């Protein structure tokens, strides 16, 4: 496995709409290795999710996992999940604001409104259909990654930019609020 280079904000790859994968592409050993590399890269940088365009592959795949993450303490665990060609639909109009960061926008955080619960349809890494409901932080992570696959970053979703903060200032002024 290898750790992949993460594209940072300003790299045009982050603004492109990613291409769906065919079942045949998913089965290929090269693509399966790419999935392993995405997972390793996400873990290396303590991410809770990573979209393929963040590692320079404009394809509809994202990985996510929340497990005792130092960047997001006190969040419920989410098992390691691979989402290929995901589709999401909100289950409620209810929106919730909470902090988000992004490996492509290092050292910065801001408060982002997201749907509280969503229905997710995708393929897993074997090309098998996945369908589940995600709520709260789990739903937030998936909406964040889904945005990446559609050429968006969380800054585009903020209602205003007044909560934008560097991590050091986050720890100093915003923790526990
Ligand atoms: Zn991100």
């Amino acid at each position: 496995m290898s750790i992949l280079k993460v594209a940072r904000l300003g790299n045009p790859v982050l603004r492109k709409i990613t291409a769906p994968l065919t079942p045949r592409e998913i089965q290929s050993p090269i693509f399966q290795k790419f999935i392993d590399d995405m997972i390793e890269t996400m873990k290396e940088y303590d991410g809770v999710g990573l979209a393929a365009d963040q590692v320079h592959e404009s394809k509809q795949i994202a990985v996510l996992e929340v497990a005792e993450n130092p960047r997001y303490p006190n969040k419920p665990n989410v098992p390691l999940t691979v989402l290929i060609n995901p589709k999401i639909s909100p289950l409620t109009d209810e929106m919730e604001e909470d902090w988000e960061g992004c490996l492509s926008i290092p050292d910065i955080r801001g408060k982002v409104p997201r749907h509280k619960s969503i229905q997710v349809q995708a393929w897993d890494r074997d090309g098998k259909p996945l369908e589940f409901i995600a709520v709260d932080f789990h739903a937030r992570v998936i909406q964040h990654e889904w945005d990446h696959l559609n050429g968006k970053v969380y800054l585009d979703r903020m209602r205003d930019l007044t909560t934008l903060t560097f991590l050091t200032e986050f720890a100093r002024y915003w923790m526990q609020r």
Side-chain angles (χ1 to χ4, degrees):
M1 288 198 284
S2 19
I3 291 163
L4 305 168
K5 189 170 181 200
V6 177
R8 304 205 314 168
L9 187 68
N11 190 315
V13 74
L14 294 174
R15 293 309 195 168
K16 273 170 65 176
I17 294 179
T18 55
L21 287 142
T22 64
R24 205 192 159 124
E25 282 175 292
I26 295 169
Q27 304 296 338
S28 81
I30 290 173
F31 186 71
Q32 288 293 320
K33 179 181 183 296
F34 175 66
I35 297 175
D36 291 333
D37 290 347
M38 279 185 71
I39 293 167
E40 198 185 12
T41 304
M42 170 177 71
K43 291 180 191 234
E44 170 71 16
Y45 295 110
D46 292 322
V48 290
L50 186 73
D53 50 324
Q54 289 185 277
V55 287
H56 307 264
E57 275 292 328
S58 195
K59 297 276 163 81
Q60 281 183 23
I61 169 169
V63 297
L64 54 136
E65 181 182 43
V66 184
E68 319 301 330
N69 191 294
R71 287 175 70 239
Y72 297 94
N74 312 317
K75 296 292 186 193
N77 287 356
V78 173
L80 178 63
T81 312
V82 176
L83 299 176
I84 296 173
N85 301 345
K87 292 185 173 37
I88 64 173
S89 35
L91 290 173
T92 155
D93 289 336
E94 196 183 341
M95 306 288 279
E96 219 169 43
E97 276 213 330
D98 202 358
W99 295 99
E100 286 184 29
C102 181
L103 297 182
S104 295
I105 310 169
D107 301 325
I108 287 185
R109 255 180 210 187
K111 274 195 171 183
V112 187
R114 298 286 187 189
H115 295 284
K116 193 172 161 53
S117 68
I118 56 169
Q119 168 112 26
V120 183
Q121 284 180 300
W123 292 342
D124 69 10
R125 66 180 297 166
D126 302 314
K128 294 205 193 82
L130 271 180
E131 191 168 348
F132 60 92
I133 287 167
V135 299
D136 301 328
F137 190 65
H138 188 193
R140 174 171 299 278
V141 173
I142 292 173
Q143 288 170 85
H144 179 116
E145 301 313 325
W146 188 82
D147 269 356
H148 275 303
L149 300 180
N150 290 284
K152 285 192 164 22
V153 298
Y154 76 83
L155 301 174
D156 307 334
R157 297 286 187 194
M158 290 178 71
R159 290 200 179 102
D160 67 72
L161 300 177
T162 56
T163 58
L164 264 194
T165 174
F166 287 105
L167 277 184
T168 315
E169 281 67 21
F170 178 77
R172 189 165 167 191
Y173 298 110
W174 294 95
M175 286 277 246
Q176 319 298 341
R177 290 192 196 187

